Amino acid sequence: MSLEEKKTFIEDPTPNMTTEEKNRHLSYMLGVAPHDVQNIFRIERVEIGATGWWIYYRTELPD
């Protein structure tokens, strides 16, 4: 079984969100498709430029 690493960006829906709002939004987004079935191995917060979260995950490559 071969794995491929990918990443996707979850942008903050509004500017100037509190830390609690940012975390609540991330929590919600991780519970809905397609994120709810991804094999996530790392999450990084981005505050420079576009603000949001990089989500790193692995997928199986077809044989």
Side-chain angles (χ1 to χ4, degrees):
M1 169 178 66
S2 297
L3 296 175
E4 178 180 23
E5 292 186 357
K6 296 182 177 184
K7 68 180 183 177
T8 188
F9 189 70
I10 297 176
E11 189 171 359
D12 291 344
T14 59
N16 302 319
M17 295 172 68
T18 66
T19 301
E20 184 178 339
E21 290 169 331
K22 293 172 188 175
N23 290 334
R24 192 177 310 127
H25 177 68
L26 173 63
S27 177
Y28 169 77
M29 293 301 292
L30 293 176
V32 296
H35 309 294
D36 63 333
V37 294
Q38 291 174 334
N39 185 9
I40 296 171
F41 66 93
R42 183 173 65 204
I43 298 174
E44 292 180 353
R45 179 71 192 160
V46 178
E47 292 286 342
I48 298 173
T51 59
W53 306 89
W54 276 115
I55 310 300
Y56 297 83
Y57 61 99
R58 294 184 177 105
T59 59
E60 289 185 35
L61 292 173
D63 293 331

